[in-house]
Amino acid sequence: MPYPRSAALTAVFLVMTMFSPHSAAHAAAGADSLESLRREATKARTELEKATKQMEGRKKSLAESQVKLRTTLKDLAGAEAELNRIREPLARLANTSYQQSGAAGSMAIFGGGDPSTALRSTADVTLMARSQQALVDRADELQDRRQKLASAAQELQSRNAVDQTRLQQDVDGLKSRSAQLTKQLNAMLDKLAVTRQKRFELGCDKSLARDAKKFPNGLIPSKYLCPLPQKGGHMLRADAALAFYKLNEAYKRGFGRDMCVTDAYRSLSEQHRVYAQRPGFAAVPGTSNHGKGQALDLCGGVQSSGSVQFNWMEAHAGKYGWIHPSWAYSNPFEPWHWEYGTEEG
């Protein structure tokens, strides 16, 4: 998910500075560590981008070589097919030459006679000789071409096999390096004692909310949404997600655990599925606030009106921009449903 890393890291540093009880010297050290992390992340990204381009270049070169190999093999098959077609005439010619060697033997088939007949016979023999020589020349040419094509094909096959091995080594190396860099950067992040909430904030750019609003309800691409800390792959629009991170941390301080989430952003296809199960109760597909990425369905006690968890939400959710809409109290009654923003969205 794209986001301005340097700006996000700077924001984290400012927040840590405002609330940290440690000295200014310690804050300066934190700034140096964050700057070091930023530099390492940039270096890692540049390194992987360079390696990826090299890998793509090798893939392109291999693909071109494979095309050349296929063309060479096709030409070789054509040369062999033509050579096979003239094998029988060549065999007959060789047999005739063996049985009737020399010019005299060839002339003997015409016998004696008047001069005009002899002249025509001589012309016929000359034409036959030329045709026979052309056949022999073509056979030699095909033999030579076939040999060159076979050598070229063998060389291409060997080279492509080596390139294929190198390409796989590049891919494996790139995967390994990516995993190594991820582990290294996360270790640096751990040393900074950055909280889980801050990690999610680092990966969620609030400006994505503006882009998300351009898409129809339920058709927001995942790159414009931000993941929630809870398991299940739940996501929200960036502004709603950032507010939820803070709400979730406050809830966790009070109850010792994360909030329980059963549903968040709901795609259009998922809206249709829910509507088919609960017609008249679920929102008409394409109109749900879940499709805008600014609604949550909660569990863990919040789903029960009057529970400690529900009462806590009523008392604290508003501080973080979350509300329980008025319709959810009666039409239909959904204590588990909470939305980010105002009643008007």
Side-chain angles (χ1 to χ4, degrees):
M1 184 178 300
Y3 61 90
R5 291 175 174 81
S6 58
L9 288 170
T10 301
V12 171
F13 167 64
L14 290 175
V15 172
M16 292 174 68
T17 301
M18 289 174 61
F19 293 99
S20 174
H22 300 288
S23 64
H26 183 78
D32 290 340
S33 297
L34 283 172
E35 179 59 24
S36 175
L37 176 61
R38 186 192 67 78
R39 287 196 303 268
E40 288 299 320
T42 301
K43 179 181 176 181
R45 183 180 70 246
T46 302
E47 178 183 334
L48 290 177
E49 285 176 348
K50 181 179 179 181
T52 300
K53 287 181 180 179
Q54 290 176 343
M55 182 189 70
E56 291 297 330
R58 194 182 293 277
K59 286 174 63 177
K60 182 179 179 181
S61 177
L62 178 59
E64 292 172 350
S65 186
Q66 289 289 80
V67 171
K68 186 176 180 180
L69 173 60
R70 287 195 293 270
T71 301
T72 301
L73 291 174
K74 183 178 180 181
D75 291 343
L76 176 59
E80 289 183 336
E82 185 176 352
L83 186 59
N84 286 333
R85 285 196 297 271
I86 65 175
R87 284 186 189 278
E88 185 176 349
L90 278 172
R92 288 200 303 268
L93 174 62
N95 184 57
T96 301
S97 299
Y98 175 77
Q99 293 180 1
Q100 300 176 340
S101 59
S106 300
M107 289 294 295
I109 62 174
F110 298 104
D114 59 80
S116 60
T117 300
L119 183 61
R120 285 197 300 272
S121 297
T122 301
D124 291 340
V125 169
T126 300
L127 180 61
M128 289 175 60
R130 287 176 180 173
S131 298
Q132 291 169 351
Q133 186 60 47
L135 187 64
V136 172
D137 291 344
R138 181 56 179 164
D140 289 342
E141 178 186 337
L142 286 172
Q143 287 279 19
D144 183 61
R145 184 178 179 216
R146 185 179 67 169
Q147 183 176 359
K148 290 179 179 179
L149 286 171
S151 297
Q154 185 175 6
E155 181 181 349
L156 282 169
Q157 286 175 327
S158 298
R159 189 173 68 193
N160 288 0
V162 172
D163 285 346
Q164 184 68 46
T165 300
R166 288 176 179 172
L167 176 59
Q168 188 59 52
Q169 290 174 343
D170 285 350
V171 172
D172 293 342
L174 195 57
K175 289 179 180 178
S176 176
R177 185 56 179 154
S178 178
Q180 180 183 354
L181 289 171
T182 300
K183 184 177 180 180
Q184 176 184 334
L185 292 172
N186 282 334
M188 292 181 68
L189 202 58
D190 290 337
K191 289 181 180 179
L192 290 174
V194 176
T195 65
R196 182 186 63 164
Q197 177 185 341
K198 295 302 179 186
R199 292 194 188 196
F200 276 98
E201 289 178 355
L202 282 171
C204 185
D205 181 5
K206 189 175 182 178
S207 66
L208 293 174
R210 179 180 62 251
D211 297 324
K213 293 177 183 179
K214 298 176 183 178
F215 293 91
N217 187 300
L219 296 173
I220 304 174
S222 59
K223 70 177 182 178
Y224 295 109
L225 301 169
C226 295
L228 304 187
Q230 286 74 9
K231 294 181 180 180
H234 300 299
M235 306 184 81
L236 285 174
R237 200 173 68 191
D239 52 347
L242 287 166
F244 177 76
Y245 299 153
K246 294 180 174 60
L247 174 65
N248 186 66
E249 284 300 307
Y251 183 92
K252 191 174 181 178
R253 287 193 296 270
F255 293 95
R257 61 181 182 277
D258 285 322
M259 300 181 73
C260 178
V261 178
T262 60
D263 205 0
Y265 169 71
R266 192 180 292 166
S267 67
L268 188 60
S269 59
E270 185 66 9
Q271 290 182 50
H272 278 282
R273 185 189 68 78
V274 173
Y275 186 76
Q277 292 177 345
R278 301 174 61 205
F281 292 94
V284 174
T287 67
S288 171
N289 275 346
H290 283 284
K292 298 178 182 178
Q294 60 182 103
L296 284 170
D297 286 347
L298 302 176
C299 46
V302 180
Q303 76 278 11
S304 301
S305 179
S307 67
V308 176
Q309 293 83 359
F310 181 83
N311 291 341
W312 185 94
M313 283 291 293
E314 284 195 313
H316 298 89
K319 300 175 186 177
Y320 304 96
W322 287 88
I323 64 168
H324 188 237
S326 57
W327 63 261
Y329 282 98
S330 59
N331 187 29
F333 180 53
E334 294 186 0
W336 56 83
H337 182 89
W338 296 76
E339 298 178 358
Y340 176 75
T342 64
E343 292 278 0
E344 289 74 32

